[in-house]
């Protein structure tokens, strides 16, 4: 803790008033120091507020100590769930130190933990702008930048074909007499500027996101169009005439007709997905393993956005029943949907998988068929509607060539959840709980797609089972010996208390703690490995209900699995002893995020976990190796930043939106990423969780170029060693983890045989990779 008491400095005033103020400041400083020494951070914080309000000239002197006091007091308020008081303290602090990047970053961290991601991202961004070298703020900002400016903005603005066709359609509409334009969801304002340049008299641009609204204001001003474009920061449904805009408009964004095209496909690698929307989105051209079209493309509906009556009836009409002939043999996994946007009778855009555009396709997973195998001659029947403003595809059935209609089948009944022979079957059953229609509400668990992918990762569960079994087997003799000693020492007491030798011979269980993020069945697997007391740290009640159901279905005693957060006062205390006199045999840490990044604060958790292990106990994984290679990838370049004004048809947008670019792209799949490898994989970093003192914070790695080209990115992944023999590869085909990549600001031209030096820096849980020039 900083410990230097500044001396009050006299201001310009003099006399009794100034003397009294100096005396009060001096006493308040003494009181603040006394409170800090007794860890009364709330009172100390109040004293510092008084000091700084009376003597603002002392800001520089007390800044460091004030920060320390604020952070400690904020921790206490957070633990007490006094959210409003916590935020109030930070607001007071930022009034005193509006340009303090450390306070901004800390405010962002609290807001992010509370779930205010947009607001948190704003504070992280401000901290980085104040100090571009502040590594903690940069890492925080990189992780949440997607909530400020979603990545598709970069891809869309780099799509020259899209921009050109929209510009031509807007120009034609304006020249045909549509002089007043309303742009709903303006984003950076590029379409509004197209309209203004085409000669529109009045352009109104509506944008709800505060960040995007402010960005659009900067873009419009930089292109000298602020007088002709009025930006509105509000919901489009809240726009009132004539309060916000003076008239109704003839032309609106995305006007005209569009045709929706759809086809049935099979995935080479199955994946379940269920979100709030009835669909998810994928870039089908980059699906790992590819896909097979089982039907021809067909039109599902046509919507005229200029026909108000048609739009009203679309949302209320009953579902249309459609039958599609099957043309290829395969497993029906999903219905894939795309659109043809008919901007006018001359200009159109297709979002088909065969088109190279900024758009992804909508994917509707198929569930509950008794038989997913279809062949030519069969018909796929479905109901299609736009109820609740969503395109819905439901009631999917297969009419076989033998004229037998196959209805849906529920997989959530207890009779389908019998005891399983291995973890793969157990995980498969759990996946069915999420992907089928719930017959019984309490047996339904809605999981994230990454959690479903984890459950389908058979090597992951088999690897953990083998590693846990080895550790627990090595500790069992020790436990049995302790139990026998206890029995001998307490033989007389056993007789007096009426306990039999059999009762006294039961050994103390081995304790296993799983602190994985999200859902995990590893504690259930640990419970099958003998005299083990497994603990799960899942937070959501529905996850706990599902784990209880799995235990019941596999005939585990009801109290086999414990939920650890019920035993601790708050989540921050999750790493502590199972009992006052006991230590953990195994602690499972979630080291790698599904996105491909290292979990935040994982090394701090490892250091605590190491102190909580019994002799012979283990942290899983024990160590992690980080690998990477150099690649040339135009795709990664275009998905990370807007590449000049040419892509945006001469408008200056790149300098503004590129403030929100991040050097690391996450959730990549290297198996399908369009890229050219320019080197072989190399080991970049080793993280040792069992012996943290072996970790290094800085190292250089030489990489030899094996193919000439331009280095644009450095993809990376991990080998997680549960022990010296059992390793999990986060880049394998079965992996539920995705990969990440560092994207260079400027490509580096290389020739075969060249050698580049990578500088790897590891700070806390943050890793940065740069090329040494």
């Amino acid at each position: 803790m900083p410990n230097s008491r500044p001396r009050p400095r006299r201001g310009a005033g003099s006399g009794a008033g100034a003397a009294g103020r100096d005396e009060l400041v001096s006493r308040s400083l003494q009181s603040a120091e006394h409170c800090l020494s007794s860890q009364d951070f709330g009172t100390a914080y109040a004293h510092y507020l008084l000091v700084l309000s009376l003597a603002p000239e002392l800001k520089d002197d007390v800044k460091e100590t004030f920060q320390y006091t604020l952070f400690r007091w904020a921790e206490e308020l957070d633990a007490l769930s006094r959210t409003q008081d916590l935020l109030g303290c930070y607001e007071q602090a930022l009034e005193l130190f509006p340009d303090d990047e450390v306070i901004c970053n800390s405010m962002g961290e609290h807001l992010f933990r509370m779930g205010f991601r947009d607001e948190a991202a704003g504070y992280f961004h401000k901290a980085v702008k104040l100090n571009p070298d502040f590594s903690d703020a940069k890492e925080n900002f990189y992780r949440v930048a997607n909530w400020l400016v979603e990545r598709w903005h970069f891809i869309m603005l780099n799509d020259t074909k899209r921009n050109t066709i929209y510009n031509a359609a807007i120009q034609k509409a304006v020249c045909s007499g549509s002089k007043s334009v309303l742009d709903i969801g303006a984003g950076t304002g590029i379409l509004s500027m197209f309209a203004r340049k085409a000669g529109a008299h009045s352009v109104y641009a509506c944008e709800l996101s505060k960040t995007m609204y402010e960005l659009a204001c900067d873009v419009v001003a930089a292109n000298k169009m602020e007088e002709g474009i009025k930006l509105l920061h509000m919901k489009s449904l809240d726009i009132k005439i004539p309060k916000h805009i003076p008239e109704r408009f003839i032309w609106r964004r995305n006007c005209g007709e569009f045709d929706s095209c759809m086809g049935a496909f099979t995935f080479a690698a199955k994946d379940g997905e269920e979100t709030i929307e009835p669909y998810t989105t994928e870039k089908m051209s980059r699906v790992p393993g590819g896909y097979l079209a089982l039907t021809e493309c067909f039109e599902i509906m046509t919507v005229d956005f200029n026909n108000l009556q048609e739009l009203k009836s679309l949302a209320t009409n009953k579902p249309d029943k459609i039958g599609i002939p099957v043309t290829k043999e395969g497993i029906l996994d999903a219905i894939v949907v795309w659109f043809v946007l008919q901007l006018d009778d001359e200009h159109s855009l297709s979002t088909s998988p065969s088109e190279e555009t900024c758009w992804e396709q909508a994917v509707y997973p198929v569930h509950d068929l008794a038989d997913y195998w279809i062949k030519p001659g069969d018909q796929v029947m479905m109901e299609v509607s736009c109820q609740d403003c969503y395109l819905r595809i439901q009631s999917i059935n297969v009419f076989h060539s033998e004229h037998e209609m196959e209805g849906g089948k529920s997989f959530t009944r207890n009779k389908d959840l019998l005891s399983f022979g291995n973890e793969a079957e157990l995980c498969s059953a759990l996946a069915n709980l999420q992907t089928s229609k719930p017959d019984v509400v309490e047996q339904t668990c809605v999981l994230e797609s990454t959690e479903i992918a984890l459950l389908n990762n058979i090597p992951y569960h088999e690897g953990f089972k083998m590693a846990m079994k080895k550790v627990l087997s090595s500790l069992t003799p020790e436990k049995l010996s302790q139990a026998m000693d206890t029995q001998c020492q307490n033989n007389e007491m056993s007789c007096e208390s009426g306990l039999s030798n059999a009762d006294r011979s039961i050994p103390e269980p081995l304790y296993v703690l799983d602190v994985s993020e999200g859902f995990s069945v590893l504690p259930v697997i640990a419970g099958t490995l003998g005299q083990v007391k497994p603990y799960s740290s899942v937070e959501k009640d529905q996850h706990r209900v599902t784990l209880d159901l799995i235990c019941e279905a596999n005939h585990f005693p009801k109290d086999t699995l414990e939920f650890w957060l019920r035993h601790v006062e708050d989540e921050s205390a999750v790493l502590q002893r199972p009992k006052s006199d006991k230590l953990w045999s195994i602690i499972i840490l979630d080291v790698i995020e599904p996105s491909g990044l290292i979990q935040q604060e994982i090394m701090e958790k490892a250091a605590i976990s190491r102190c909580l292990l019994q002799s012979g106990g283990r942290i899983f994984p024990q160590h992690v190796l980080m690998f990477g290679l150099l690649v040339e990838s135009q795709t990664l370049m275009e998905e990370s930043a807007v590449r000049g004004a040419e892509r945006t048809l001469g408008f200056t947008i790149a300098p503004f939106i590129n403030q929100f670019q991040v050097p690391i792209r996450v959730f990549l799949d290297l198996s399908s990423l369009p890229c050219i490898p320019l080197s072989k994989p190399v080991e970049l970093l080793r993280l040792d969780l069992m012996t943290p003192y072996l970790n290094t914070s800085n190292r250089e790695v030489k990489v030899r170029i094996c193919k000439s080209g331009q280095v644009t990115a450095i993809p990376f992944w991990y080998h997680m060693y549960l022990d010296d023999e059992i390793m999990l590869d986060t880049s394998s085909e079965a992996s539920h983890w995705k990969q990440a990549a560092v994207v260079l600001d400027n490509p580096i031209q290389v020739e075969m045989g060249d050698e580049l030096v990578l500088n790897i820096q590891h700070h806390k849980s943050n890793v940065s990779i740069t090329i040494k020039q």
Side-chain angles (χ1 to χ4, degrees):
M1 180 190 74
N3 189 23
S4 59
R5 183 192 307 170
R7 295 174 59 86
R9 295 192 292 269
R10 289 186 180 270
S14 60
R21 185 207 70 156
D22 288 349
E23 178 67 19
L24 182 57
V25 168
S26 179
R27 288 183 178 180
S28 293
L29 284 172
Q30 293 177 14
S31 297
E33 290 183 5
H34 175 74
C35 291
L36 286 179
S37 64
S38 60
Q39 297 192 333
D40 182 359
F41 301 110
T43 307
Y45 176 76
H47 280 297
Y48 277 121
L49 284 181
L50 177 60
V51 168
L52 292 173
S53 66
L54 293 174
E57 68 273 11
L58 295 180
K59 282 184 180 179
D60 291 340
D61 295 328
V62 303
K63 177 180 177 180
E64 191 176 349
T65 311
F66 175 77
Q67 286 177 347
Y68 172 80
T69 306
L70 168 66
F71 300 156
R72 293 301 302 270
W73 177 224
E75 288 176 3
E76 290 188 15
L77 292 173
D78 192 24
L80 295 170
S81 299
R82 291 171 58 182
T83 303
Q84 291 301 322
D85 291 336
L86 185 153
L87 296 178
C89 287
Y90 272 97
E91 288 171 358
Q92 291 170 331
L94 287 171
E95 286 179 5
L96 294 168
F97 298 94
D99 296 327
D100 189 294
E101 70 274 18
V102 178
I103 296 177
C104 282
N105 182 64
S106 182
M107 174 70 153
E109 290 176 337
H110 281 288
L111 286 169
F112 186 79
R113 283 194 291 270
M114 294 173 190
F116 301 109
R117 292 171 171 175
D118 287 334
E119 293 81 358
Y123 279 101
F124 294 146
H125 183 235
K126 182 179 179 180
V128 173
K129 286 174 67 176
L130 289 167
N131 183 0
D133 297 323
F134 187 10
S135 59
D136 286 352
K138 283 197 297 185
E139 182 65 24
N140 285 331
F141 174 64
Y142 295 157
R143 288 174 182 263
V144 301
N146 290 346
W147 284 291
L148 277 179
V149 177
E150 295 184 86
R151 301 300 94 183
W152 55 259
H153 281 287
F154 297 103
I155 305 170
M156 184 181 69
L157 290 168
N158 280 320
D159 190 340
T160 307
K161 179 181 178 181
R162 171 202 177 271
N163 296 337
T164 301
I165 293 177
Y166 260 106
N167 184 43
I170 291 171
Q171 188 173 31
K172 181 179 178 180
V174 172
C175 291
S176 298
S178 299
K179 300 298 184 181
S180 298
V181 176
L182 173 60
D183 184 358
I184 297 176
T188 59
I190 185 171
L191 299 188
S192 294
M193 293 191 296
F194 287 167
R196 181 61 180 167
K197 185 178 180 181
H201 297 158
S202 303
V203 180
Y204 298 86
C206 178
E207 176 55 52
L208 178 60
S209 164
K210 184 174 185 293
T211 299
M212 292 306 302
Y213 165 76
E214 293 173 348
L215 178 58
C217 289
D218 292 339
V219 168
V220 168
N223 288 276
K224 297 181 171 52
M225 290 188 173
E226 63 266 45
E227 290 186 4
I229 300 175
K230 181 178 180 181
L231 287 151
L232 304 169
H233 178 218
M234 60 193 309
K235 288 182 180 180
S236 60
L237 295 176
D238 293 337
I239 293 176
K240 308 231 182 281
I241 299 171
K243 180 179 180 181
H244 302 114
I245 57 178
E247 57 185 314
R248 293 189 180 275
F249 291 89
I250 300 170
W251 185 88
R252 296 184 64 152
R253 178 179 179 177
N254 291 354
C255 70
E257 298 181 348
F258 74 87
D259 302 318
S260 172
C261 297
M262 178 170 80
F265 296 88
T266 181
F267 286 51
K270 289 185 68 173
D271 185 25
E273 179 101 8
E274 181 156 319
T275 57
I276 296 174
E277 295 85 2
Y279 58 87
T280 182
T281 60
E282 293 284 350
K283 193 78 169 176
M284 293 302 297
S285 61
R286 285 162 60 175
V287 169
Y291 60 87
L292 173 67
L294 300 179
T295 74
E296 298 292 342
C297 167
F298 57 92
E299 183 179 304
I300 185 174
M301 67 174 64
T302 298
V303 180
D304 185 353
F305 281 100
N306 288 310
N307 188 325
L308 182 59
Q309 187 59 40
E310 182 177 326
L311 293 175
K312 287 182 177 179
S313 61
L314 189 67
T316 57
N317 284 348
K318 293 182 179 179
D320 289 332
K321 294 183 179 179
I322 298 178
I324 307 102
V326 176
T327 58
K328 294 283 181 67
E329 187 173 6
I331 298 175
L332 177 58
D333 289 325
I335 311 295
V336 176
V337 176
W338 64 91
F339 304 91
V340 176
L341 304 170
Q342 200 68 44
L343 301 180
D344 55 32
D345 56 2
E346 181 183 355
H347 303 96
S348 66
L349 285 166
S350 172
T351 69
S352 162
S354 61
E355 298 283 341
E356 276 301 319
T357 71
C358 59
W359 284 284
E360 295 181 333
Q361 291 77 47
V363 179
Y364 292 76
V366 174
H367 303 310
D368 303 335
L369 290 181
D371 185 4
Y372 291 83
W373 189 264
I374 59 177
K375 58 187 181 301
D378 294 348
Q379 269 205 332
V380 177
M381 309 295 296
M382 65 189 70
E383 293 183 353
V384 179
S385 68
C386 282
Q387 294 173 345
D388 304 322
C389 300
Y390 283 114
L391 176 63
R392 296 189 179 277
I393 300 173
Q394 53 202 14
S395 301
I396 300 171
N397 291 288
V398 177
F399 188 71
H400 290 294
S401 54
E402 294 82 7
H403 304 292
E404 293 180 359
M405 186 69 74
E406 294 289 353
K409 177 184 178 183
S410 173
F411 289 93
T412 60
R413 299 183 187 279
N414 284 332
K415 63 185 179 63
D416 293 308
L417 291 173
L418 303 177
S419 182
F420 304 103
N422 57 51
E423 281 64 54
E425 290 177 331
L426 183 149
C427 294
S428 177
L430 183 55
N432 282 331
L433 285 174
Q434 184 267 337
T435 57
S436 59
K437 295 179 181 177
D439 284 345
V440 183
V441 174
E442 61 269 23
Q443 291 185 356
T444 302
C445 179
V446 178
L447 300 179
E448 300 289 337
S449 59
T450 52
E451 295 170 332
I452 291 290
L454 167 61
L455 293 173
N456 284 317
N457 189 343
I458 296 174
Y460 175 88
H461 295 98
E462 291 181 342
F464 267 97
K465 180 179 180 180
M466 291 171 58
M468 288 191 292
K469 190 172 183 179
K470 287 164 69 173
V471 171
L472 296 172
S473 296
S474 69
L475 296 174
T476 300
E478 175 188 342
K479 287 289 184 181
L480 289 174
S481 174
Q482 292 176 355
M484 290 177 66
D485 291 342
T486 302
Q487 180 183 359
C488 293
Q489 294 170 7
N490 298 306
N491 187 51
E492 184 176 348
M493 185 183 299
S494 299
C495 295
E496 291 176 358
S497 62
L499 295 177
S500 66
N501 288 339
D503 294 326
R504 281 294 178 181
S505 65
I506 298 175
E508 179 76 18
L510 297 166
Y511 294 91
V512 175
L513 173 64
D514 179 11
V515 289
S516 296
E517 300 286 333
F519 192 81
S520 172
V521 295
L522 293 180
V524 180
I525 295 173
T528 67
L529 301 178
Q531 192 71 15
V532 175
K533 188 64 177 175
Y535 288 82
S536 168
S537 64
V538 294
E539 301 175 47
K540 297 179 180 178
D541 288 338
Q542 60 176 346
H543 288 172
R544 294 173 181 172
V545 168
T546 305
L547 284 176
D548 280 337
L549 178 64
I550 291 295
C551 289
E552 180 182 347
N554 287 272
H555 310 299
F556 296 161
K558 187 173 180 60
D559 60 349
T560 296
L561 178 64
E562 291 278 358
F563 297 108
W564 185 229
L565 293 184
R566 292 176 177 171
H567 296 264
V568 297
E569 292 184 1
D570 60 82
E571 188 182 343
S572 62
V574 67
L575 287 171
Q576 61 184 50
R577 291 170 175 260
K579 291 184 177 180
S580 59
D581 60 340
K582 302 297 178 185
L583 294 169
W584 300 102
S585 299
I586 295 173
I587 297 178
I588 300 169
L589 296 180
D590 207 355
V591 179
I592 309 300
E593 295 180 3
S595 66
L597 297 179
I598 294 174
Q599 291 277 8
Q600 288 187 302
E601 300 181 351
I602 191 60
M603 299 314 297
E604 293 87 337
K605 289 181 180 178
I608 297 172
S609 299
R610 188 67 182 86
C611 301
L612 298 174
L613 292 176
Q614 69 171 98
S615 176
R618 289 289 182 268
I619 296 172
F620 287 152
Q622 295 185 27
H623 70 271
V624 176
L625 299 182
M626 181 179 182
F627 288 87
L629 80 161
L630 308 180
V631 302
E632 178 177 335
S633 175
Q634 188 65 25
T635 298
L636 282 181
M637 294 285 286
E638 293 186 358
E639 291 179 355
S640 301
V642 175
R643 301 294 165 181
E646 183 180 348
R647 300 294 184 92
T648 54
L649 309 191
F651 288 105
T652 303
I653 298 177
F656 300 97
I657 194 168
N658 286 349
Q659 296 178 63
F660 297 92
Q661 74 180 99
V662 296
I664 295 181
R665 285 278 287 115
V666 294
F667 283 109
L668 298 174
D669 197 308
L670 292 183
S671 67
S672 60
L673 176 71
C675 67
I676 302 171
L678 302 181
S679 76
K680 293 182 178 179
V682 294
E683 181 182 322
L684 302 177
L685 182 70
R686 176 189 172 104
L687 296 178
D688 199 309
L689 282 76
M690 281 294 293
T691 50
Y693 59 85
L694 293 178
N695 296 323
T696 56
S697 59
N698 197 326
R699 69 184 299 238
E700 292 185 349
V701 178
K702 293 181 179 180
V703 184
R704 183 168 294 276
I705 302 300
C706 62
K707 184 179 178 64
S708 300
Q710 283 192 330
V711 178
T712 60
I714 310 167
F716 55 89
W717 63 96
Y718 311 88
H719 288 178
M720 295 174 46
Y721 284 84
L722 304 184
D723 58 27
D724 293 335
E725 299 173 343
I726 302 174
M727 184 269 288
L728 301 173
D729 184 353
T730 67
S731 68
S732 70
E733 184 179 344
S735 173
H736 67 281
W737 290 285
K738 299 299 183 182
Q739 296 81 53
V742 173
V743 182
L744 306 186
D745 284 335
N746 300 301
I748 299 176
Q749 186 68 42
V750 293
E751 301 293 332
M752 186 172 64
D754 289 351
E755 197 171 68
L756 293 183
V757 177
L758 304 184
N759 182 259
I760 319 298
Q761 291 188 326
H762 174 224
H763 174 65
K764 296 182 179 178
S765 299
N766 304 328
V767 177
S768 66
I769 307 171
T770 55
I771 296 180
K772 191 174 181 180
Q773 301 286 349

